[in-house]
Amino acid sequence: MIGVAAGQAEATAAAARKLAFLPRLESVRGIAAVSVVLYHVAPQFIETNVTGMAPVVMFFVLSGFVLARSLQNDPNPLRFFRHRVFRLLPAAAATVLLLTVLHYTFGFYVGYLTSFDPLNVLLNVLLIRSDINGVMWSMTVECFATPLILWSGWMCRRGQIAPLRVLVVVLFALSFVGPYAHLLGGFTNLAPLYAFVIGVLLHHRGPSLVARLTPHTGAILTLAAFALFLVCALRKQNPIVIMLECSGASALIMMIAFSDWIRPFRVLDASIVRFYGRISYSFYLLHPVGLAVAFRIFDTNSLPVGAGIAATGLIAVAVTTAMAWPSWRLIERPLVALGRRFDGRKADAVTPLAAQPEQALS
């Protein structure tokens, strides 16, 4: 009986070590996705050098962090890569195919007119190129970063942190080199590649860092990180600004993940914010279509700046939401579930997929 009890206790402890989903981080992803719309609306009404890189940097840190947690739960590299394919490719491919159909039917396109020949469509579907839907450059970079995230997680689990710190410094230095930053061509930018590594480091070292903070110092750090991120997000992007954005984003993510005493974070628990967190990937992919529709409804030259940004932004968000929710519900969730059926495990039978959004993000 003692042996049985000990075995049950050990099994319970092992289950507890499985890292739980952090819903507030998903909410951050949703806020970042919606903010990208405003970044793309504003230049139509005011002259600005702001490009919307800051939310993408936030995405990259979040991806490194969340994927490090997934790797700690299941370090199998084959499953990791398979989950990435089923997570990223279906919704992205559906978006490219939608834009292709719209182009051949109505002559519709987003951003700049590019080739819609079968080979280029295929390259965009596979996230090798991103000229049909320019915002998908970040997905191309994330695919490129996948082996880096896997290796970084492996190094952290072995306790070898120093090489990763050196890697972050090297990648930051390379971000000043144009040929490196634009190595993948098109709209892609490798300058913030180190953000993925920092996200992995945050997962493994963040709890000990936050544990040293008092509530007062934690609140000060959070406020300073938010101010730094916001100021940099409104500036012209260069390697220094991107690095500072990454620093602010990293501190915010660390505090959101590992502290529960900061009251303003409660906004991340709101139902509407959680909703946009769930659909954030499809929302990000489809928001150029929502923007294009909004700009066809409003004449940007006839509206006051404030009213124009607000009205266009609201229409763009509404249209994008109407497309993103079905994409999440009918494409993302089923395909993520399909990818996990190959695991030979019954995790989804124990906990419904809807209650496992972090696993779905992995």
Side-chain angles (χ1 to χ4, degrees), residues 12-307:
T12 302
R17 286 194 294 269
K18 280 286 187 179
L19 297 175
F21 167 59
L22 299 177
R24 288 182 174 180
L25 292 185
E26 187 179 64
S27 295
V28 172
R29 193 185 294 267
I31 292 173
V34 173
S35 72
V36 172
V37 172
L38 299 180
Y39 272 109
H40 290 161
V41 167
Q44 303 298 319
F45 294 90
I46 57 176
E47 293 186 9
T48 176
N49 292 316
V50 175
T51 62
M53 174 68 81
V56 175
V57 173
M58 179 73 79
F59 287 144
F60 287 173
V61 179
L62 274 168
S63 289
F65 183 94
V66 170
L67 292 173
R69 291 173 67 83
S70 295
L71 282 167
Q72 187 162 331
N73 281 337
D74 181 2
N76 184 290
L78 293 180
R79 283 196 288 266
F80 177 73
F81 280 109
R82 183 172 66 245
H83 293 169
R84 296 311 292 152
V85 170
F86 279 91
R87 176 69 186 102
L88 295 177
L89 212 59
T95 301
V96 171
L97 295 177
L98 171 65
L99 289 171
T100 302
V101 170
L102 290 175
H103 176 72
Y104 280 111
T105 305
F106 304 107
F108 180 91
Y109 62 91
V110 296
Y112 301 95
L113 181 61
T114 187
S115 171
F116 282 86
D117 65 73
L119 177 59
N120 196 49
V121 171
L122 177 62
L123 292 175
N124 277 262
V125 163
L126 296 176
L127 297 174
I128 297 172
R129 299 191 65 177
S130 55
D131 53 341
I132 289 178
N133 186 13
V135 300
M136 285 171 56
W137 72 265
S138 61
M139 300 300 103
T140 301
V141 173
E142 184 152 342
C143 291
F144 182 82
T146 296
L148 181 63
I149 296 169
L150 180 64
W151 178 77
S152 299
W154 179 69
M155 292 291 284
C156 282
R157 291 194 302 276
R158 295 183 62 189
Q160 298 183 6
I161 303 298
L164 296 183
R165 292 171 177 164
V166 173
L167 177 61
V168 169
V169 173
V170 170
L171 292 177
F172 170 62
L174 286 173
S175 69
F176 290 86
V177 181
Y180 160 79
H182 303 291
L183 179 66
L184 300 182
F187 299 104
T188 59
N189 188 343
L190 290 178
L193 185 64
Y194 52 83
F196 294 102
V197 183
I198 291 176
V200 174
L201 287 169
L202 277 180
H203 162 64
H204 288 276
R205 288 294 181 263
S208 62
L209 293 175
V210 173
R212 300 173 191 172
L213 301 175
T214 66
H216 180 68
T217 55
I220 292 175
L221 174 61
T222 301
L223 181 61
F226 179 77
L228 176 64
F229 184 78
L230 183 61
V231 169
C232 292
L234 298 176
R235 294 181 62 86
K236 183 177 181 180
Q237 301 296 287
N238 60 52
I240 297 292
V241 171
I242 293 173
M243 181 271 291
L244 293 173
E245 286 171 347
C246 185
S247 300
S250 299
L252 285 172
I253 290 169
M254 181 180 69
M255 296 305 297
I256 291 169
F258 302 122
S259 67
D260 56 5
W261 64 79
I262 300 177
R263 292 183 179 179
F265 289 159
R266 294 177 184 175
V267 70
L268 300 172
D269 301 326
S271 298
I272 186 66
V273 182
R274 294 283 293 110
F275 169 76
Y276 278 99
R278 286 192 292 273
I279 69 169
S280 57
Y281 181 47
S282 287
F283 187 97
Y284 178 78
L285 292 172
L286 290 163
H287 83 269
V289 180
L291 286 168
V293 171
F295 288 138
R296 283 164 171 76
I297 293 175
F298 293 107
D299 179 6
T300 57
N301 295 318
S302 63
L303 293 173
V305 172

